Amino acid sequence: MTIYQYGEQAAENVLIQLVGEHDLPTVEDEVREIQKMTECPFSLIAAKVDAWNQELTPWKAPAVYGTEDFGDGAAQTLEEIKKLCVDRSKTYYIGGYSLAGLFSLWAAYQTDLFSGVAAASPSVWFPGFIPYMKEHEIRAEKVYLSLGEKEEKTKNPVMAQVGACIRAGYAHLQTSGHLCTLEWNPGGHFKEPVLRTAKAFAWLMNQ
């Protein structure tokens, strides 16, 4: 894991975002978008993982696109993330896009370190994840969920469940008394990920 830091290093609000190599060129754009949406000072830590399908998923599952199966490396990844959250005078938010959004949701079930979760277009179609949400208690106070309106319109039978899954997850979080929102965005999964992630983090800080 490689760490990159942006924003105001002394700020009370710390945004921790799991990213891949493909995300790094646009992180500064995302920081600027967040700054447009909130007056809250913040720093952003981009934690780059090297094996996206291995390091961000909590249990093994067969590939649903391509040939690369999913691993069970999320627990080890979370241990590395915890090392970034040692100053308890700060408020930590965790988030990310796609599988990084899934990881962030799962991480908030493991620890109370995070005040909020920014799950932008999270891969909640991941096998077994919605039952996991319903069987456990999330430990973050605030949860932002989003999805593109066209994401569930795919020929892939597993990924086509993403709409039903996120609706079920959102409904469960609402009944459990957490501050939660679900925002629908135009387009499919690959439309405006920078803006979607920025909106997620800004919402958490503005609540």
Side-chain angles (χ1 to χ4, degrees), residues 89-182:
S89 69
K90 294 182 180 291
T91 301
Y92 296 97
Y93 300 102
I94 190 167
Y97 198 84
S98 193
L99 275 182
L102 176 84
F103 170 85
S104 300
L105 278 171
W106 173 84
Y109 283 86
Q110 315 308 312
T111 176
D112 61 1
L113 277 174
F114 310 113
S115 294
V117 180
S121 289
S123 304
V124 288
W125 48 259
F126 187 74
F129 192 74
I130 295 302
Y132 181 88
M133 287 181 68
K134 294 179 177 180
E135 293 166 7
H136 298 81
E137 183 71 20
I138 198 166
R139 299 168 73 181
E141 301 166 7
K142 300 176 281 189
V143 182
Y144 176 101
L145 303 170
S146 72
L147 204 67
E149 293 170 349
K150 295 182 179 180
E151 291 197 50
E152 59 190 326
K153 298 174 182 177
T154 172
K155 294 179 181 179
N156 186 299
V158 177
M159 299 177 73
Q161 296 300 309
V162 69
C165 287
I166 206 163
R167 292 181 187 97
Y170 175 54
H172 173 70
L173 290 171
Q174 284 185 304
T175 60
S176 63
H178 292 84
L179 180 60
C180 182
T181 191
L182 169 57

Side-chain angles (χ1 to χ4, degrees), residues 2-176:
T2 309
I3 302 302
Y4 302 86
Q5 296 192 336
Y6 306 84
E8 303 178 39
Q9 301 306 312
E12 176 186 336
N13 297 300
V14 181
L15 315 180
I16 299 176
Q17 181 175 344
L18 281 296
V19 300
E21 186 73 34
H22 59 283
D23 297 305
L24 289 178
T26 59
V27 176
E28 290 184 351
D29 295 333
E30 181 187 321
V31 169
R32 285 190 288 270
E33 290 296 331
I34 298 171
Q35 289 168 339
K36 294 176 186 176
M37 300 175 193
T38 183
E39 296 181 358
C40 299
F42 66 91
S43 64
L44 187 149
I45 298 174
K48 185 181 78 68
V49 298
D50 297 314
W52 192 253
N53 282 19
Q54 301 297 317
E55 296 178 63
L56 295 179
T57 44
W59 49 81
K60 294 180 179 180
V64 298
Y65 53 87
T67 58
E68 185 182 357
D69 292 340
F70 298 100
D72 56 358
Q76 183 176 346
T77 300
L78 180 56
E79 289 306 309
E80 295 299 310
I81 294 297
K82 287 179 179 179
K83 297 174 184 177
L84 307 174
C85 307
V86 294
D87 185 348
R88 298 312 292 263
S89 69
K90 294 182 180 291
T91 301
Y92 296 97
Y93 300 102
I94 190 167
Y97 198 84
S98 193
L99 275 182
L102 176 84
F103 170 85
S104 300
L105 278 171
W106 173 84
Y109 283 86
Q110 315 308 312
T111 176
D112 61 1
L113 277 174
F114 310 113
S115 294
V117 180
S121 289
S123 304
V124 288
W125 48 259
F126 187 74
F129 192 74
I130 295 302
Y132 181 88
M133 287 181 68
K134 294 179 177 180
E135 293 166 7
H136 298 81
E137 183 71 20
I138 198 166
R139 299 168 73 181
E141 301 166 7
K142 300 176 281 189
V143 182
Y144 176 101
L145 303 170
S146 72
L147 204 67
E149 293 170 349
K150 295 182 179 180
E151 291 197 50
E152 59 190 326
K153 298 174 182 177
T154 172
K155 294 179 181 179
N156 186 299
V158 177
M159 299 177 73
Q161 296 300 309
V162 69
C165 287
I166 206 163
R167 292 181 187 97
Y170 175 54
H172 173 70
L173 290 171
Q174 284 185 304
T175 60
S176 63

